[in-house]
Amino acid sequence: MNFGERARAALEAHGPLCVGIDPHAALLDAWGLPQSGDGVREFGLRTVEAAAGRVGAVKPQVSFFERFGSAGFAALEEVIAAARTAGLLVIADAKRGDIGTTMDAYAAAWFMPGSPLEADALTVSPYLGVGVLGGTFELAERHGKGTFVLAATSNPEAAGVQRARTASGDTVSASVIAEVSARNAAATAEGEWGSHGFVVGATVDWADAGIAPFSPPAPILGPGFGTQGAGPADLRVRYGQAAAQVFASESRSILASGAAGIADAIDAAAAAYREVLQHG
Ligand SMILES: O=c1ccn([C@@H]2O[C@H](COP(=O)(O)O)[C@@H](O)[C@H]2O)c(=O)[nH]1
């Protein structure tokens, strides 16, 4: 099964909630864990244990592991492996973007079967040109992996770059979506979801971003829920017809409940998103 279809199956089985694994320094303190590789390992493994069976996907934020160097990366390897063993889709949020030959090495790190950091999908930046992602797309497709391309990110600072107009008059966000959609169409059988999804923040006004109407046959990663201000109702308000395609990503809002409360927090949030999908 390609990644697009695996994402679709996960969304159908579990609903939209995607649990972010972001071991901020303050959260490590609140969880009573050390500021070290051991701390982020324990934080990640406890989050995975709580998420398993409750949601379809987790999104480890690589930066919070990277700050502990090799110990942090060793911890991340364990967290990713535990999540995948538990049947969770792992979306590695590393936002890789570089020239094509360098991207190929990133793709090998995150997609090659047996690689220490093997994940199911990776966030990638198209801002060196969508063309640099060709080798990454190809390796992902070959191994049933996927990408989430930064199209319209949740942060307000993105507007200046992403809402700018290209020579055709489209916004940069819209042109990224069009280029990646063309790749999906060429690489995917009729009726299947493509393996290259889009990051479209839950805080983004689609008319302003020039991306409405937008309902691609591909998954959407929607950060911006929870601490950044969007709530479950924004699944319909923001994503409209594409609501059922969205992994609604929450990190701090769930992780703040602590190790003792995280399972209940995930249950409550997951139910709230499913309710919006079922009853509007
Ligand atoms: O547009 C984007 C893309 C990625 N992110 C990442 O998602 C989480 C959000 O964390 P919260 O605690 O739920 O706010 C974090 O890892 C970001 O790097 C994003 O926020 N916006």
Side-chain angles (χ1 to χ4, degrees):
M1 220 193 260
N2 76 7
F3 175 76
E5 288 298 297
R6 291 201 290 136
R8 171 146 74 170
L11 286 165
E12 283 174 1
H14 296 281
L17 182 64
C18 167
V19 176
I21 307 178
D22 294 34
H24 289 257
L27 287 171
L28 288 174
D29 286 345
W31 284 43
L33 293 170
Q35 301 287 338
S36 67
D38 284 344
V40 292
R41 174 190 296 104
E42 194 57 33
F43 187 100
L45 292 176
R46 288 188 199 174
T47 305
V48 164
E49 192 183 346
R54 292 187 163 87
V55 296
V58 290
K59 185 181 78 63
Q61 171 51 255
V62 173
S63 63
F64 292 109
F65 295 86
E66 193 168 335
R67 70 198 181 99
F68 297 110
S70 58
F73 272 105
L76 179 60
E77 289 172 17
E78 281 188 46
V79 171
I80 291 175
R84 299 189 73 229
T85 300
L88 293 159
L89 285 183
V90 175
I91 303 168
D93 194 354
K95 298 189 182 66
R96 296 303 191 220
D98 210 311
I99 64 169
T101 46
T102 303
M103 278 308 300
D104 292 349
Y106 282 133
W110 297 98
F111 296 151
M112 280 298 278
S115 167
L117 287 167
E118 181 185 356
D120 297 292
L122 177 69
T123 56
V124 295
S125 171
Y127 296 109
L128 273 78
V130 175
V132 301
L133 302 175
T136 301
F137 290 161
E138 205 275 321
L139 198 76
E141 289 157 11
R142 200 185 316 155
H143 297 294
K145 310 295 189 185
T147 62
F148 285 93
V149 182
L150 302 180
T153 58
S154 66
N155 57 314
E157 303 86 352
V161 171
Q162 295 172 13
R163 314 285 188 274
R165 300 272 165 182
T166 66
S168 69
D170 292 334
T171 60
V172 169
S173 293
S175 73
V176 166
I177 288 169
E179 276 193 72
V180 177
S181 295
R183 171 76 191 207
N184 273 336
T188 311
E190 185 71 30
E192 285 188 348
W193 279 16
S195 294
H196 308 299
F198 304 92
V199 175
V200 178
T203 50
V204 172
D205 178 323
W206 286 26
D208 185 39
I211 59 172
F214 171 50
S215 184
I220 297 171
L221 178 61
F225 289 98
T227 305
Q228 291 180 52
D234 287 301
L235 253 191
R236 285 274 176 232
V237 174
R238 296 289 187 190
Y239 299 91
Q241 287 197 330
Q245 294 161 236
V246 178
F247 284 107
S249 177
E250 288 195 35
S251 304
R252 287 166 291 177
S253 45
I254 285 177
L255 302 168
S257 55
I262 188 168
D264 287 346
I266 292 173
D267 276 337
Y273 288 105
R274 283 195 293 261
E275 171 68 19
V276 167
L277 278 193
Q278 280 160 15
H279 301 113

